[in-house]
Structure formats: C-alpha cells, structure tokens
Amino acid sequence: MRRPVALRLNAALATLAVAAATGVVLSMPEAASAAATGSATGYATQNGGTTGGAGGTTVRATTGTAIHTALCNRASSSTPITIQVEGTINHGNTAKVSGNSCNTAAGVIELKQISNVTLVGVGSGAVFDQLGIHIRESSNIIIQNVTVKNVKKSGSPTSNGGDAIGMESDVRNVWVDHTTLEASGGESEGYDGLFDMKDNTQYVTLSYSTLRNSGRGGLVGSSETELSNGYITYHHNLYENIDSRAPLLRGGIAHIYNNYYVKLNESGINSRAGARAKVDNNYFKNSKDVLGTFYTDAAGYWQVSGNTFDNVTWSAKGSENNPAGPDPKSNTTVSIPYSYSLDNASCVPAIVAATAGANKGLKVSDGSCSPTTPTPTPDPTDPTPDPTDPTQPGGTNLSIGAGSDGSSKASGSSYGNVRDGDMSTFWSPAGSTGSISIKWGTATSVSKVNIREASGSTGAIGAWKVVNGDTGAVLTSGTGAGAITVPKTSLKKITFEITGSSGTPKVAEFETYAG
C-alpha cells in the first residue's frame, strides 16, 4: 500500500453551487453551440480523429440523472450530442436511466456502448463530487472543463472502481482536456487512479489538466500481460503531490511532453512491459525517480529530449528497479505521426500554471510559452450559419420537447424529425408543397423561427408563409429557408407552409425562439 498523501485541495471548489436533485435538461439552439473549444491534439487526432458531439444538438444538465437522460433521449447511441454541465454532480442526483441509445448506471457517469459525445463544463463550473466518469466500449468522446474529485473504490460512497476517469473495453478516440482530477490520499484511504486506461483502449489525449493529491496518477494496461492499449498523448498537464503512476505504461506507445511534475513522491513515468515513451521538454521538480522501469523486471523504454530535472533524486538500480537517471539517456526511438509544438522546458511551470485545469478559461499555449484562448472550431459538415451573425436567432430552441404535425409526409420522413436536433433526419411533403407545424400544450411566445434544410436539398424551398396555427392568420411570408422574424405572438401552434419549391423540399429542423 502507498503511504497517505498530504491533502491539498483547492478550497475554491467548496463555493460551487450544488444543483437541485432533479436537475434540468435544457435544449439549446444548435446555431449558438459548439462541441468544444479548440480541437483535439496528440494521438486523439489519429484513427479518424476525435470530434465528440460536433454537428449535433446541445443540452444543459445540472445533475447526473440529467446527463444520463440526455444520452438516453438521443435517436441512436451514435447521434452526436454536446452536454453542457453546470453545478455539482453526486450520488444523490445520479440515477440510472434506460433507453435504446444508452446503457447507464447509478452512482457513476456511464458513457457505455455509445459514440459522438462531448461532456463540457460551463457557467460557474462542473464538479463531479465522489463520482467518477466511466467510458466503456465507446468511441469519439470529449471531456472538457470539468473537475472530478475524491472518487473511492473502498469506504463510502464508492464509484467507478476508484478512478476519477476510467476507460476500458475497446475504447477509441478520447480527448480529455482542461480537467482537474483530485483525490485526498492513496489506496489505504480508499482511492485508486485518477486517469486509467485498460483492456484495449487506444488513441487518447490528456491535455491541459491538473492531477493532484493521489497515490496513483494513472495507468495504461492493468497487468504485465494486458498490452492491448496505447497511442496515448499527455501534454501540458500538472502532476502535483502524486506517489506514483505519472503515468504507469504497460506496453504501447506514449508521447509525454511539456508536463510539469511537482512532488512525485515515489516514482513518476514508469515505462514497463515493452512500453515505449517519448518524453520531451517536461519539467520535473522536487521529485524522486521521475522516469524509468519500477517494481518489475519487465523492461520498458524511453526516448528523452529537452527535459529539466530540478531537485530530482534517483534510487539505485536493482533487479526490479531501473531508474533512467541521474543522467537520463534514450534507449529507444519513437516516431510521432502528428504535428505539435514544443514549449521550452524552462517555461513549462509558468505556462502550465496559466493553462492547466478546469475553469482556466480553456487557455492553451501558443507554442511560444504564452497562454492564448482558442476559438471554437466550426464543423465543416454542419450548415449552421455563423452564430455571431445578428440575423440568426439566439436563445432556447423551443421546438425540442414540443409536439409536431403537418400535411401528408413523404415515405421515410416524420413530423418529429424537425424537432429532434438531428440534421440527418427530416420531414418532406408528399409533393412539392405542404406544411409542418410545431405545437405546445400551453400558449408559447414566438418571435423568430429558423428553417434548416437537410444536406443535399439546400435551396429547394421556394415560396412559403408562416401561419398562426391557432387562428389561421399569416404572420409573414417570403422565399427561401433560413432565419425568419415574425411579430411576437403567443400561440399554441405555429405552421410553416411551403407554397412553392424546386425539387423535393426537406426540412431537417424547424426551430422556434422567443426572442
């Protein structure tokens, strides 16, 4: 067992608001959302890349149950979705939710047998308190700007095997960025790893994150014979007050650059069982045995360049102890398939302090030791207009969660397709003209609508009119799909009537807004 680790948690976390137990899932207009800020880096860019929920709908959640509900309400387990999280997620507000597009469990955020999901903290912050995030049999996942703390495998309450973020069983393409992962001790206090990968997990990047106050930083591979994991990038992370596993690598390839290690108490980067680590321009301070093969005779390998060792001590070599120092030399070569920029190791403490962790404004290094804020990366497959365009509606899309009906529909299309937040589904009339309506149980104020055509049919809609479905009054008319302003009207039903078209019109989304 590891000895206890000094408790140094960020007191500011205590001020974050606790969400109501029921939570909310508030649909947001796709035009005003982004899957994540910036783009994936490192090995998460390989194997087809990592885009998370880009191009899908965006919802807001303040409880774990609401997160599960958002996953389960998707059209399928692969329908893209971005879940914006605010508040404290804990055992009391995280229940199992069932559905055809999800496989969830109580007491853990379960991203299981799904794909194309972004989980991002917003507003005053997202804190997963004593409750871990579990990714299993899933792909194309982004986790950004969240804090996960004090997840236990023993004692009470327990969650996720004691891992803050754990991945296992055929996981591919995960980008974890600007997170804060914390414990309050080691195994004897009930904690396990902060960031673990096993059982065939590949193409993962951990960037601009803080890992602190734990006996175990994280592992890649659960045993000396479990060597199916790899292609992992760690960059611009802070490891602080960690006993060991920063990380532990069993087999596979890891690229470890521009990280700041402070107070690694027993060992740091532990490359073993044939693992190969490229270790570039990191800064190690006040630590012991920061690189090598430890606690085994199954050798691992490393390529080192540009690192700074500041008050680092090294133990003697033995049958199960092969530290790389005191003068680390490369014993392998590793070819990196993606482009990246290295900050000089001398500025790593400063740039990591300015950028790593949740609630840092998602700042990154500009590659020259200065922090900068990336802009959201647009999805080239998404026809959403520029959200900064003042002609586009903003606010909450009132259509999602409403009802719908209309005139006769073409085979294969559905009225509900225009309010599901999914641009790949659509309603189409049986002919070249027809009408589609959004309706509510109580009167709802509407002043703008946005008609979005499905891919391949853009420009097909010609003449149209927007009708108050309660009274039959025409609110406005015009030609061509897009954003439409109408006189602010309180109504239970609003109808978009196509009176002329070229080709077959296909309405992917009929969005409605209050202002």
Side-chain angles (χ1 to χ4, degrees):
M1 291 188 179
R2 303 290 178 206
R3 57 186 172 79
V5 181
L7 177 61
R8 290 191 288 171
L9 296 178
N10 184 352
L13 295 176
T15 64
L16 293 175
V18 177
T22 54
V24 296
V25 178
L26 178 63
S27 300
M28 307 296 288
E30 189 175 1
S33 69
T37 297
S39 300
T41 55
Y43 273 114
T45 65
Q46 305 299 289
N47 190 44
T50 304
T51 57
T57 191
T58 297
V59 302
R60 182 73 65 94
T62 62
T63 69
T65 303
I67 294 172
H68 285 163
T69 300
L71 295 172
C72 296
N73 281 348
R74 294 187 297 165
S76 74
S77 61
S78 61
T79 301
I81 188 171
T82 293
I83 304 174
Q84 297 179 341
V85 184
E86 184 175 18
T88 300
I89 311 301
N90 55 35
H91 284 75
N93 63 33
T94 301
K96 174 182 174 65
V97 178
S98 299
N100 294 329
S101 61
C102 64
N103 188 348
T104 71
V108 61
I109 296 302
E110 192 86 294
L111 307 180
K112 183 177 180 181
Q113 298 168 342
I114 62 175
S115 60
N116 309 325
V117 173
T118 293
L119 198 66
V120 57
V122 297
S124 61
V127 179
F128 295 77
D129 184 14
Q130 303 182 75
L131 185 138
I133 299 173
H134 187 194
I135 304 171
R136 186 170 184 174
E137 300 173 69
S138 295
S139 62
N140 195 24
I141 306 293
I142 294 174
I143 300 173
Q144 191 174 51
N145 200 39
V146 303
T147 294
V148 187
K149 65 176 186 176
N150 293 335
V151 180
K152 286 190 171 184
K153 70 174 182 178
S154 63
S156 179
T158 61
S159 177
N160 196 28
D163 297 336
I165 296 178
M167 289 160 268
E168 62 180 292
S169 301
D170 305 321
V171 173
R172 292 291 185 275
N173 291 88
V174 177
W175 178 35
V176 178
D177 177 64
H178 284 92
T179 63
T180 297
L181 310 178
E182 300 179 325
S184 297
E187 187 178 21
S188 61
E189 288 77 39
Y191 304 98
D192 195 13
L194 295 176
F195 193 70
D196 279 10
M197 289 160 274
K198 57 188 177 182
D199 193 15
N200 197 23
T201 293
Q202 299 180 1
Y203 301 104
V204 175
T205 295
L206 176 67
S207 58
Y208 296 101
S209 291
T210 293
L211 297 85
R212 62 159 66 101
N213 300 329
S214 177
R216 297 168 171 173
L219 60 74
V220 180
S222 59
S223 72
E224 308 293 70
T225 59
E226 204 271 280
L227 306 178
S228 58
N229 311 279
Y231 308 114
I232 316 298
T233 300
Y234 304 82
H235 75 89
H236 292 93
N237 302 299
L238 169 65
Y239 285 79
E240 181 179 17
N241 195 26
I242 303 290
D243 278 355
S244 64
R245 302 186 182 183
L248 164 60
L249 308 170
R250 292 179 168 117
I253 292 174
H255 188 197
I256 303 170
Y257 71 91
N258 283 154
N259 300 289
Y260 184 31
Y261 297 90
V262 185
K263 203 171 184 292
L264 302 181
N265 301 310
E266 298 180 9
S267 62
I269 301 168
N270 186 352
S271 179
R272 53 203 268 189
R276 294 188 297 141
K278 184 169 173 58
V279 183
D280 296 329
N281 290 33
N282 301 281
Y283 197 107
F284 302 90
K285 183 176 181 179
N286 298 340
S287 297
K288 176 185 177 184
D289 284 342
V290 298
L291 174 64
T293 298
F294 306 103
Y295 323 120
T296 182
D297 60 1
Y301 308 95
W302 45 85
Q303 179 181 356
V304 293
S305 174
N307 300 288
T308 294
F309 302 93
D310 180 1
N311 192 32
V312 171
T313 60
W314 303 90
S315 61
K317 291 189 177 184
S319 61
E320 294 189 351
N321 206 54
N322 183 27
D327 184 21
K329 302 290 186 185
S330 300
N331 57 16
T332 191
T333 58
V334 180
S335 178
I336 300 301
Y338 51 81
S339 61
Y340 60 99
S341 298
L342 284 173
D343 290 312
N344 191 286
S346 63
C347 77
V348 163
I351 192 65
V352 168
T355 58
N359 306 315
K360 287 290 188 70
L362 297 173
K363 292 181 179 179
V364 300
S365 172
D366 66 354
S368 299
C369 297
S370 296
T372 185
T373 301
T375 56
T377 302
D379 178 4
T381 66
D382 184 358
T384 302
D386 181 356
T388 63
D389 183 346
T391 67
Q392 295 304 311
T396 300
N397 178 7
L398 303 171
S399 296
I400 297 180
S404 57
D405 60 24
S407 61
S408 61
K409 56 183 180 291
S411 176
S413 69
S414 169
Y415 301 134
N417 287 346
V418 301
R419 52 179 173 80
D420 62 358
D422 187 349
M423 286 296 294
S424 67
T425 63
F426 60 87
W427 165 84
S428 188
S432 60
T433 61
S435 62
I436 181 75
S437 301
I438 299 295
K439 56 185 181 179
W440 300 270
T442 58
T444 301
S445 181
V446 175
S447 61
K448 292 182 181 179
V449 302
N450 195 22
I451 303 299
R452 305 180 63 192
E453 294 176 282
S455 177
S457 66
T458 304
I461 294 176
W464 51 260
K465 53 186 177 181
V466 178
V467 177
N468 182 332
D470 297 349
T471 66
V474 176
L475 301 175
T476 189
S477 60
T479 59
I484 302 167
T485 299
V486 300
K488 191 169 186 177
T489 306
S490 180
L491 41 71
K492 292 185 178 181
K493 181 176 179 179
I494 188 168
T495 300
F496 180 73
E497 184 175 346
I498 301 169
T499 58
S501 63
S502 59
T504 302
K506 296 179 180 179
V507 178
E509 291 296 301
F510 181 174
E511 299 174 349
T512 52
Y513 300 92

